[in-house]
Amino acid sequence: MLVLSRQLDESIMIGDDIVITVVDIRGDKVRLGIAAPTKIPVHRQEVYELIQRENMQAAFVEAQQGDAAPAPAGAPKPAVLKPKKKS
Amino acid sequence: MLIRTHRFGDLDVAEESVIHFPEGLVGLSQFKRFVLLEDPESPDLIWLQSADEPRFVLATIRASKLGQMYAVEIQDEDRKTLNLKDPEEAEAFVVLNRVEGKFYANLRGPVIVNIAEMLGKQIVLTNPAYGVRHPVDAVGQPHLATS
């Protein structure tokens, strides 16, 4: 891991278009400002990982349930949600 | 187009009903095309089914079913991904999870669909009061803590 020392209001650049700035330092808390293109999602790591884990667990549970009870032939089919076009 | 699903078998789905998720789901960027399927038996239950992987499916309910206490705030960057100009076009869905027979809702990471353009994104809400595993009584009967 690259480790850099930065002071208040100093920044680091990642690639051409991501800038991370130290906005505030108070005790053991550092506030960072992140400027990145909108196509790059930025999240707190712990929240991102929690949601990822829930997604995988929920999908896994459904796949397991599907194993237990596969769709029988002639079972009712679900309705597909259609786009709502503006009139 | 034909969509293979493990739960419902093969489904014939109009191309325009396929929702594109440019970024995939959080932590699961490999799945980019989904359809939303209304469960034939439980009216509130809506399945977010991958159009490409028959076994990848998530149970959801409309966020509106959680009542006034649950507010989904869409940030500017999410609005851009969803090409969202009119808030009326946004529909929010909350992913359900089942752990040891109990149901939970992921309030922190709702799935937003621009229903006019069929663009989707799972967003991450900033409100720390919303947990990823919030207990709900049963599908369609969510109980949010009032305190």
Side-chain angles (χ1 to χ4, degrees):
Chain A
M1 195 199 305
L2 171 68
V3 179
L4 300 169
S5 293
R6 299 278 72 191
Q7 294 185 332
L8 193 63
D9 294 331
E10 290 185 339
S11 301
I12 59 169
M13 289 202 68
I14 300 174
D16 292 332
D17 43 19
I18 302 172
V19 182
I20 297 172
T21 307
V22 179
V23 175
D24 190 27
I25 306 169
R26 262 180 226 173
D28 60 358
K29 204 177 206 178
V30 179
R31 285 167 64 85
L32 302 172
I34 299 153
T38 53
K39 66 175 186 287
I40 298 177
V42 178
H43 300 295
R44 288 178 181 83
Q45 184 185 16
E46 59 276 24
V47 173
Y48 188 87
E49 285 173 352
L50 274 177
I51 292 174
Q52 175 182 30
R53 207 182 313 155
E54 283 302 295
N55 281 344
M56 290 197 285
Q57 211 259 346
F60 177 75
V61 166
E62 291 312 330
Q64 295 296 98
Q65 288 286 321
D67 278 345
K77 294 285 186 187
V80 183
L81 204 92
K82 293 183 177 69
K84 277 185 200 144
K85 295 286 179 200
K86 270 193 274 189
S87 51
Chain B
M1 65 182 281
L2 188 76
I3 290 181
R4 297 189 172 268
T5 79
H6 189 67
R7 177 167 286 272
F8 297 112
D10 291 352
L11 302 174
D12 190 18
V13 173
E15 197 84 45
E16 60 170 25
S17 292
V18 176
I19 305 158
H20 291 260
F21 284 65
E23 298 168 5
L25 299 178
V26 169
L28 294 162
S29 56
Q30 66 269 44
F31 301 116
K32 292 196 158 59
R33 302 193 309 157
F34 287 86
V35 285
L36 283 167
L37 307 171
E38 290 167 357
D39 192 275
E41 278 151 21
S42 308
D44 288 336
L45 188 58
I46 297 170
W47 298 95
L48 183 66
Q49 166 73 51
S50 164
D52 302 299
E53 172 49 60
R55 280 178 179 273
F56 191 86
V57 63
L58 291 168
T60 77
I61 51 170
R62 289 178 194 277
S64 55
K65 296 283 170 199
L66 295 167
Q68 298 286 323
M69 276 169 287
Y70 182 58
V72 175
E73 202 175 307
I74 304 174
Q75 306 289 327
D76 283 350
E77 60 192 64
D78 299 326
R79 224 178 286 278
K80 279 183 199 162
T81 310
L82 291 162
N83 201 13
L84 198 62
K85 285 156 193 125
D86 181 355
E88 295 274 296
E89 291 169 353
E91 292 198 19
F93 301 86
V94 173
V95 179
L96 299 179
N97 196 354
R98 195 169 3 182
V99 185
E100 290 164 2
K102 293 199 173 86
F103 285 95
Y104 297 89
N106 181 350
L107 302 185
R108 197 70 185 269
V111 171
I112 312 296
V113 174
N114 178 339
I115 202 73
E117 308 226 352
M118 296 306 256
L119 283 168
K121 181 174 183 176
Q122 186 176 29
I123 68 171
V124 180
L125 300 183
T126 51
N127 186 344
Y130 294 146
V132 298
R133 198 172 275 188
H134 186 94
V136 288
D137 266 7
V139 178
Q141 289 161 8
H143 276 214
L144 276 180
T146 46
S147 57

